[in-house]
């Protein structure tokens, strides 16, 4: 599939210059990063208010005696929050640690070294400011890199860093582990939805996987900068690994922003827009953002799993078989969906809203 153009991505020299001036002297925030009105848009739930992002335990999902109750918990999380933290996930700890170490080492390199894999032209892979919008001219307070990781024939190896030397191998192994983890989760989601497991798994099998790594520099003027613009994820399923314990992710629910408190060793998993469509709106893809910490940097590794049904982004047929059940979304070819989603992201809108029936 041809990569859609993404005109908001800046060129290599602009990345280096903007980042060097901004992050080296965070007391003097350049105007292109100042987004006070956006940061203050919405009430953030305070630390004194008791709430808990749903936690799903993979060990309980796999336990025949506990699975039914944990599947119900998984389904409730996907319907009402669109997010959950996954514990006891079973991913090889050595694989996870290698990915963490290589990500930290990459972001520790001089900007000139990272710029060797900077975004080129109208592409979207590589190092740069991936979430800025041309319409506002503002940048996120973050360094990011996006790569297509699966299937192997879709990779652009010129954009895969060779420094640190072990980065490519670490990402290769990690990407395969994430496919396995996603498929295990999707099997339990199918059970909750009441569809054939094969139907949901087939929608994700062999489809594109991409990865984003982010480093959010600390900023004492947190009320002025945005780590990542409020958005929903446009693909199927998102798996986020916290490299450290620095908070920053916030989820919008009932009009308020709920900060996520990272659990040690857990993944943060969220429903993305295509899964919202596949489930005919049963699972919710919800808006989220990142606010930098005042004192500590935050590093994350995020995997995005794409999905489609017979080349279409459409509700699963098994969910439409019950009498009186109608599709809530129009069907669209996956290539057209991807292009439409990128264009909507550029304009600060949500593409699947245009698909609602």
């Amino acid at each position: 599939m041809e990569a859609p153009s993404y005109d908001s991505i800046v060129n290599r020299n602009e990345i280096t210059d903007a980042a060097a001036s901004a992050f080296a002297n965070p007391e003097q925030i350049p105007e292109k990063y100042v987004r006070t009105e956006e940061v203050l848009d919405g009430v953030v739930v305070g630390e004194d208010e008791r709430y808990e992002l749903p936690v799903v335990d993979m060990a309980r999902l796999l336990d025949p005696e506990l699975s039914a109750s944990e599947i119900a918990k998984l389904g409730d999380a996907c319907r009402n929050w669109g997010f959950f933290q996954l514990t006891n996930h079973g991913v090889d700890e050595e694989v996870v640690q290698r990915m963490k170490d290589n990500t930290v080492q990459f972001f520790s390199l001089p900007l000139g070294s990272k710029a060797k894999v900077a975004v080129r032209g109208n592409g979207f892979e590589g190092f740069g400011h991936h979430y800025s919008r041309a319409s506002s001219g503002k940048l996120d307070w973050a360094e990011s890199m996006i790569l297509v990781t699966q299937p192997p024939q879709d990779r652009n190896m010129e954009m895969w860093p060779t420094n640190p030397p072990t980065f490519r191998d670490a990402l290769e192994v990690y990407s395969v582990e994430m496919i396995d983890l996603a498929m295990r989760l999707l099997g339990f989601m199918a059970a909750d939805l009441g569809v054939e497991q094969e139907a949901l798994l087939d929608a994700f099998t062999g489809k594109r996987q991409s990865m984003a790594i982010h480093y959010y520099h600390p900023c004492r003027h947190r009320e002025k900068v945005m780590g990542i613009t409020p958005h929903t994820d446009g693909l199927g399923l998102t798996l986020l690994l916290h490299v450290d314990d620095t908070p920053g992710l916030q989820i919008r629910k009932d009009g308020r922003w709920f900060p996520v408190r990272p659990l040690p060793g857990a993944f943060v998993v969220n429903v993305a827009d295509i899964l919202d469509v596949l489930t005919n709106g049963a699972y919710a893809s919800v808006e989220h953002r990142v606010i930098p910490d005042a004192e500590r940097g935050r590093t994350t590794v995020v995997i995005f799993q794409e999905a489609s049904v017979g080349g279409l982004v459409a509700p699963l047929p098994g969910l439409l078989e019950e009498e009186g059940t109608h599709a809530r979304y129009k069907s669209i070819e996956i290539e057209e969906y991807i292009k439409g989603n990128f264009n909507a992201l550029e304009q600060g809108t949500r593409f699947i809203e245009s698909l609602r029936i």
Side-chain angles (χ1 to χ4, degrees):
M1 187 192 315
E2 183 179 353
S5 64
Y6 197 11
D7 296 334
S8 66
I9 299 177
V10 292
N11 67 38
R12 184 180 306 187
N13 293 330
E14 288 174 325
I15 292 168
T16 304
D17 295 343
S21 62
F23 302 140
N25 184 18
E27 294 299 323
Q28 300 292 326
I29 301 174
E31 184 61 31
K32 66 175 62 179
Y33 289 95
V34 176
R35 303 167 67 178
T36 306
E37 288 188 9
E38 293 179 65
V39 175
L40 299 180
D41 179 23
V43 176
V44 178
V45 175
E47 294 183 1
D48 56 339
E49 184 171 342
R50 293 181 62 85
Y51 69 92
E52 184 177 346
L53 181 71
V55 178
V56 175
D57 188 333
M58 180 64 83
R60 292 176 63 90
L61 287 172
L62 294 169
D63 187 324
E65 295 183 0
L66 302 174
S67 184
S69 62
E70 201 68 12
I71 287 174
K73 191 175 180 181
L74 168 67
D76 184 72
C78 292
R79 286 175 169 83
N80 296 313
W81 282 85
F83 272 79
F84 58 91
Q85 297 201 68
L86 182 68
T87 60
N88 296 315
H89 46 72
V91 179
D92 189 316
E93 291 184 8
E94 183 177 342
V95 171
V96 170
Q97 192 59 51
R98 286 186 69 209
M99 193 67 239
K100 286 183 176 182
D101 291 345
N102 277 273
T103 301
V104 170
Q105 290 170 32
F106 175 78
F107 283 123
S108 298
L109 294 170
L111 275 168
S113 296
K114 289 176 283 193
K116 291 178 180 178
V117 289
V119 176
R120 299 173 184 174
N122 288 332
F124 72 100
E125 289 188 79
F127 174 73
H129 293 288
H130 292 271
Y131 293 92
S132 59
R133 293 177 184 163
S135 57
S136 68
K138 298 293 185 177
L139 297 177
D140 289 340
W141 192 260
E143 295 180 53
S144 302
M145 182 169 64
I146 294 177
L147 296 171
V148 172
T149 45
Q150 296 289 345
Q153 63 267 25
D154 284 358
R155 296 172 182 165
N156 180 358
M157 296 309 296
E158 290 184 5
M159 307 308 295
W160 283 47
T162 56
N163 190 11
T166 53
F167 185 95
R168 289 184 171 189
D169 183 63
L171 178 55
E172 164 72 33
V173 176
Y174 184 78
S175 70
V176 173
E177 286 276 348
M178 290 300 98
I179 291 174
D180 292 343
L181 178 60
M183 290 302 176
R184 289 198 298 274
L185 275 173
L186 289 163
F188 293 114
M189 289 178 180
D192 170 69
L193 292 163
V195 297
E196 292 291 334
Q197 186 179 98
E198 183 179 1
L200 187 56
L201 294 182
D202 282 353
F204 283 82
T205 299
K207 305 305 191 299
R208 179 175 287 191
Q209 177 199 74
S210 54
M211 176 221 66
I213 57 174
H214 304 292
Y215 177 64
Y216 306 95
H217 290 258
C219 183
R220 294 181 180 177
H221 300 285
R222 300 176 69 236
E223 75 286 355
K224 294 183 178 181
V225 299
M226 186 79 71
I228 280 188
T229 300
H231 67 286
T232 59
D233 291 344
L235 299 181
L237 189 69
T238 304
L239 307 166
L240 181 147
L241 171 68
H242 280 102
V243 175
D244 46 54
D245 61 357
T246 305
L249 176 64
Q250 297 181 353
I251 301 165
R252 193 192 288 270
K253 178 176 168 59
D254 300 326
R256 299 193 297 167
W257 293 108
F258 287 78
V260 175
R261 301 156 182 155
L263 294 177
F267 282 94
V268 176
V269 181
N270 66 280
V271 174
D273 289 349
I274 292 179
L275 185 54
D276 187 322
V277 174
L278 292 178
T279 64
N280 203 31
Y283 285 1
S285 175
V286 304
E287 193 175 29
H288 50 286
R289 68 180 187 177
V290 173
I291 301 296
D293 191 77
E295 303 294 338
R296 296 179 294 165
R298 176 176 181 261
T299 307
T300 58
V301 179
V302 191
I303 291 289
F304 306 98
Q305 297 287 159
E306 195 176 294
S308 60
V309 181
L312 298 174
V313 174
L316 291 169
L319 291 173
L320 305 178
E321 293 174 352
E322 186 175 336
E323 187 175 351
T325 301
H326 303 286
R328 297 178 181 176
Y329 294 100
K330 294 179 287 187
S331 300
I332 183 172
E333 291 186 359
I334 182 64
E335 291 88 352
E336 292 303 312
Y337 172 87
I338 295 297
K339 292 176 183 177
N341 187 66
F342 268 83
N343 291 334
L345 180 64
E346 172 67 16
Q347 297 303 319
T349 60
R350 190 179 180 199
F351 184 62
I352 68 167
E353 294 297 332
S354 67
L355 302 178
R356 289 190 186 276
I357 298 174

